Amino acid sequence: MAAPPGAEDEILFEYGPIFRQYKSGRVERYSFPPLPAGVDPATGVTSKDVVIDSANGLWARIFLPPGIHDGAKLPVVVYYHGGAYVLGSAADPMTHSYLTGLVAAANVLAVALEYRLAPEHPLPAAYDDSWEGLKWVASHATGVPGGGEPWLADHADLSRVFLAGGSAGGTIAHVMAVRAGEHPGGLGIGIRGALIVHPYFGGAADIGTEGTTGKAEKARADAFWRYLCPGTQGLDDPLSNPFSEAAGGSAARVAADRVLVCVAEEDGLRDRGVWYYENLKASGYGGEVELLESMGEGHVFYCMKPRCERAVEMQERVLAFLRK
């Protein structure tokens, strides 16, 4: 059926400056073109793309550090990209560049998992895809028919796994850690840590500056959540608020030995990140919880200014977390 006259240019929803959907269904995303997999000349890190499930378009980009010997086993970072659930990719420049640097510095194997984006695929599609991707990684712990993905089969030490993500990806990493903790019999892997960077959480009750100077931004974010997840229970949906009554204490079941929460002082999501850190510590979760606040910096600054002082400081903290 043809769109009504004028619908092509009439905006249905806008989350500027990154995203716009028109009443015709057309979507505009303001993002950079993806980078191809291959050898990164600056670090020597090699990457390749692997199809996980062609039926729903699920794939991953895998990164290996240089100089890996046959049979060498490396810790595994399973990474979820950000982008407010409407942008981003395992191949976008920020994700690709961040992971090449991390893989080279930490000497780890990284798996950046792709997931379907809203609004074409409303939440919880991103979470469900992320879970299928994590289970695919975990399947290599017991052997996959046909040998599975060679880089994982040959080089992944699945007793040393870290779940990580930035922005919406940080929220996804938390939800995956909870699902792993609640999965009957576990996933058969050792999740040593969760790296939750500048996470995108929400909730019905205001916290921090949300009820004062951040009131307009909170209202905008709340409306965006309802748009992303039209079947939601509301702003206290466990996918948005991991400490709500509806979450049923699930945060205590995070399947990671340690959690590092990173926030940035000038980030509009800073207060929610600190709130997550404080409530996780009080939730009954039995692991260690750490907080790093980057002063004077904004949201995902470490991707946009990877050589600045605070980004270097954050990288050192992350490397220590992975090596502990």
Side-chain angles (χ1 to χ4, degrees):
M1 179 181 296
E8 182 66 25
D9 297 317
E10 191 172 348
I11 296 172
L12 174 66
F13 196 94
E14 185 173 32
Y15 198 75
I18 64 171
F19 171 84
R20 181 180 293 163
Q21 184 181 25
Y22 296 87
K23 287 190 174 180
S24 65
R26 179 167 60 95
V27 171
E28 290 180 351
R29 292 181 168 91
Y30 302 91
S31 56
F32 296 104
L35 293 179
V39 179
D40 178 61
T43 62
V45 169
T46 304
S47 59
K48 69 175 177 178
D49 296 336
V50 178
V51 174
I52 298 173
D53 185 347
S54 58
N56 67 5
L58 182 59
W59 59 276
R61 177 163 291 184
I62 308 178
F63 299 78
L64 270 183
I68 298 302
H69 303 295
D70 291 346
K73 296 288 188 178
L74 303 173
V76 177
V77 174
V78 177
Y79 188 83
Y80 301 98
H81 70 80
Y85 306 101
V86 298
L87 289 176
S89 162
D92 72 47
M94 287 203 300
T95 298
H96 182 90
S97 298
Y98 175 69
L99 287 178
T100 54
L102 181 66
V103 165
N107 200 41
V108 297
L109 181 155
V111 183
L113 291 169
E114 187 73 344
Y115 53 83
R116 290 171 293 172
L117 300 177
E120 297 91 338
H121 305 282
L123 296 178
Y127 294 97
D128 294 340
D129 290 351
S130 297
W131 178 240
E132 290 305 311
L134 179 58
K135 289 194 295 182
W136 173 78
V137 172
S139 70
H140 290 77
T142 55
V144 180
E149 162 46 43
W151 284 10
L152 289 176
D154 294 343
H155 297 297
D157 180 353
L158 292 171
S159 70
R160 294 185 292 165
V161 175
F162 295 85
L163 306 182
S167 193
T171 310
I172 292 173
H174 163 82
V175 174
M176 295 306 102
V178 169
R179 289 193 183 184
E182 295 178 338
H183 188 66
L187 289 176
I189 59 177
I191 302 178
R192 297 292 184 88
L195 178 60
I196 312 297
V197 181
H198 304 179
Y200 179 31
F201 291 115
D206 293 339
I207 58 99
T209 62
E210 290 176 353
T212 55
T213 57
K215 198 164 187 175
E217 182 63 24
K218 170 69 161 28
R220 180 169 171 257
D222 288 352
F224 191 48
W225 173 259
R226 295 182 185 278
Y227 170 75
L228 295 170
C229 192
T232 187
Q233 303 173 33
L235 300 176
D236 284 334
D237 187 309
L239 298 178
S240 173
N241 181 353
F243 308 108
S244 65
E245 183 177 349
S250 64
R253 297 186 285 279
V254 162
D257 297 338
R258 294 174 289 121
V259 177
L260 172 60
V261 184
C262 298
V263 299
E265 182 188 23
E266 302 299 327
D267 183 3
L269 298 176
R270 180 262 178 199
D271 289 349
R272 280 286 168 187
V274 175
W275 165 87
Y276 171 76
Y277 161 76
E278 293 173 344
N279 280 273
L280 184 61
K281 286 183 67 176
S283 70
Y285 165 66
E288 301 176 19
V289 189
E290 307 172 34
L291 177 69
L292 171 66
E293 180 167 6
S294 299
M295 306 305 293
E297 299 292 352
H299 193 60
V300 297
F301 73 94
Y302 60 95
C303 288
M304 295 176 280
K305 303 185 296 180
R307 294 180 178 84
C308 76
E309 180 182 357
R310 294 304 183 193
V312 172
E313 176 185 74
M314 179 178 159
Q315 178 82 323
E316 290 174 352
R317 184 71 173 271
V318 168
L319 292 175
F321 182 76
L322 296 176
R323 292 166 177 162
K324 187 173 178 181

